[in-house]
Amino acid sequence: MSEDDTIAPAPQPTSEENRHASWLELFFDLVAVAGVAQIAHLLHGVPDMSDLGLYALLFLAFWTAWIVFTLYANVAYENTHVRTVLAAMFGMAVMAAAVPGVHEGDDQHARVFALAYVLIRGLASRAWQHRRQILVDWPAAQMSLGVIPWIVSLWTHDPTRHWLWALGIALDLYVTFAVSARDIVERQGARERHDDRPARRGSARGPSLARSQTEHLSERLSLFVLIVLGEGVAQVVEATSDAEWDKKLCVLAVAAFFLLAALWALSFEHGYAGVPHLTAGVLPSRAGLPLHCFVSGCLAALAAALGAAAGHLDTLPDATRWLLCSSLAGYFLLSGLAWLGKAERERRWLLSVALPCCALPLLLAAFGAHVHTVTVVWLLVLIALWPILYERMVTKSPKGVVGTAT
């Protein structure tokens, strides 16, 4: 029997194009707004390496909690258990509320954050067990290996606790890339064949394989990136509303808006599922989902840096300048990885666009200590606009061919 014979496709509406995020899913995504905002606040002021490391760790945990239920609703469709999703939503809200305390080293808040994460993952695992399905795209969604270090962390303190959380995330990534969903099904089937207990009435022995519905998942992933970009606007609005409105601040606000607008265009007009230069069907979900996570993390970090820039209108502190520039460099590095997945990739594009867009922000971070804040942001705007302008120029050229995103 082939793998495709055992795959149970997600329930489909009349037309895949007609399926959009439900009201429950949109309500669920609102929690992502609170979570991203709280986690982005970890980078306010002048963040150090420990702040950046904690930000990356908490963002990965929050995104993981979000994606496991995003995938569940994607596959379950009309059979989604509302109470289960609402319970997960409450758990994510608790995680978001605990973030400031985790940053301050409060043991109680850290334990609550870890406990909420463990319960969310347990709910997801139970939901998949009820469906008797193994998700091909993301097997870690229903496996508990990566949760074990989080459980152990409930009885530890910083910094051991944080290392255990990082181990849990690493184990999830290992499961995602190293474990075959079909192998999981075969092991589960072998276990049940040795189980003498009769199967439950009306249920078949052994789980089946399931795949996510591509277009619906793309919409959910895109909504998450929109949330992150919206957080960037909120950061700038919050920072400028409390400051004295002078010429420098106004010019900076305009530059920040243009930068976010350029990133929106790259992620949606020239990308797919919020990932710039990605085309539908080019990468498997196992590669595309981590790419989405890291792109979102870079954008959230950039949003926090833009908010901090409004408080330093003359020159940026070194840490803030590095955060702002390296976040944009990371965004373009990931877009270059997405482009490499295309069959029609061009070396010229990598040399003319990907390389300079990654290198120039880092050069600005390294040598821009005396460059005015407004100038730094406008230079980043020009860097962000360059891939769009390059694509238009090559597309108009009769000899140039550029792969565009759907």
Side-chain angles (χ1 to χ4, degrees), residues 68-69 72 84 119-129 141-142:
V68 294
F69 272 94
Y72 164 67
T84 301
L119 292 177
I120 289 171
R121 295 295 302 274
L123 279 172
S125 179
R126 183 179 178 84
W128 285 106
Q129 288 176 4
Q142 63 266 21

Side-chain angles (χ1 to χ4, degrees), residues 290-306:
L291 202 61
H292 172 271
C293 175
F294 296 135
V295 164
S296 301
C298 287
L299 287 176
L302 185 141
L306 284 176

Side-chain angles (χ1 to χ4, degrees), residues 31-56:
V31 183
V33 177
V36 170
Q38 288 287 72
I39 295 171
H41 276 75
L42 298 179
L43 300 178
H44 278 195
V46 184
D48 55 23
M49 290 302 297
S50 63
D51 293 328
L52 187 60
L54 184 60
Y55 161 81

Side-chain angles (χ1 to χ4, degrees), residues 14 30 107 138 176 190 197 199 241 283 312 335 388 392:
T14 304
L30 285 176
D107 275 349
W138 195 263
T176 297
R197 292 175 299 177
S241 62
L283 293 177
H312 304 279
S335 73
I388 301 174
R392 290 181 178 177

Side-chain angles (χ1 to χ4, degrees), residues 215-229:
E215 290 305 315
H216 176 260
L217 180 59
S218 169
E219 182 184 43
R220 296 294 305 281
L221 296 176
S222 299
L223 286 172
F224 190 91
V225 173
L226 275 179
I227 287 171
V228 174
L229 289 173

Side-chain angles (χ1 to χ4, degrees), residues 7-147:
I7 293 177
Q12 303 290 320
T14 304
S15 170
E16 184 173 298
E17 290 76 12
N18 290 336
R19 183 184 173 188
H20 298 288
S22 67
W23 292 116
L24 176 63
E25 290 171 319
L26 292 174
F27 189 23
F28 184 77
D29 287 344
L30 285 176
V31 183
V33 177
V36 170
Q38 288 287 72
I39 295 171
H41 276 75
L42 298 179
L43 300 178
H44 278 195
V46 184
D48 55 23
M49 290 302 297
S50 63
D51 293 328
L52 187 60
L54 184 60
Y55 161 81
L57 180 59
L58 298 188
F59 188 91
L60 283 167
F62 192 84
W63 183 90
T64 301
W66 175 81
I67 196 62
V68 294
F69 272 94
T70 295
L71 290 167
Y72 164 67
N74 176 273
V75 173
Y77 189 40
E78 293 180 344
N79 297 320
T80 301
H81 289 183
V82 176
R83 286 177 297 180
T84 301
V85 175
L86 291 176
M89 188 188 307
F90 179 78
M92 290 180 61
V94 172
M95 288 176 64
V99 166
V102 174
H103 185 220
E104 295 168 3
D106 185 284
D107 275 349
Q108 182 181 9
H109 283 77
R111 289 193 178 97
V112 168
F113 184 92
L115 181 60
Y117 179 81
V118 169
L119 292 177
I120 289 171
R121 295 295 302 274
L123 279 172
S125 179
R126 183 179 178 84
W128 285 106
Q129 288 176 4
H130 179 78
R131 293 190 57 80
R132 300 187 63 76
Q133 289 179 319
I134 300 294
L135 185 64
V136 174
D137 303 329
W138 195 263
Q142 63 266 21
M143 294 189 67
S144 58
L145 180 63
V147 182

